[in-house]
Amino acid sequence: MVKIRLQREGKKKAPFYHIVVADSRVSRDGKIIEQIGTYDPMTKPSTVVLDKEKVAQWIKNGAKPTDTVKKLIENAAK
């Protein structure tokens, strides 16, 4: 099963996340299929950059976003 999820980057206590498409059996920071955005929770307000066309295409193809990514997509659409 393919999921849209966060991949952690950055230093300790300074997280930065890539929003990626990956197989659900692969570890959090393991091999990915495609990177479709970024999320920076350290800025005020937090920054989300998404390629909305790729997100829509992957969801159409059956990729399931995690709960956190689903909230980020909804907030980015506003």
Side-chain angles (χ1 to χ4, degrees), residues 1-2 9 19-22 26-28 31 39 44 52 59 62 67 71 76:
M1 178 183 209
V2 177
E9 300 287 328
I19 301 170
V20 299
V21 178
V26 176
S27 66
R28 178 191 72 185
K31 186 177 177 183
Y39 169 55
K44 298 291 181 194
K52 294 176 183 171
I59 290 174
D67 294 336
K71 288 178 188 175

Side-chain angles (χ1 to χ4, degrees), residues 46-62:
S46 59
T47 307
V48 178
V49 178
L50 279 173
D51 186 339
K52 294 176 183 171
E53 293 175 7
K54 287 184 181 179
V55 171
Q57 184 65 36
W58 276 107
I59 290 174
K60 180 182 166 197
N61 289 341

Side-chain angles (χ1 to χ4, degrees), residues 5-9 16-20 28-30 32:
R5 63 184 183 191
L6 297 176
Q7 181 181 46
R8 192 178 197 280
E9 300 287 328
F16 181 83
Y17 298 93
H18 292 286
I19 301 170
V20 299
R28 178 191 72 185
D29 296 333
I32 66 169

Side-chain angles (χ1 to χ4, degrees), residues 63-76:
K64 301 283 186 198
T66 60
D67 294 336
T68 305
V69 173
K70 194 180 295 185
K71 288 178 188 175
L72 292 175
I73 292 170
E74 290 170 359
N75 290 339

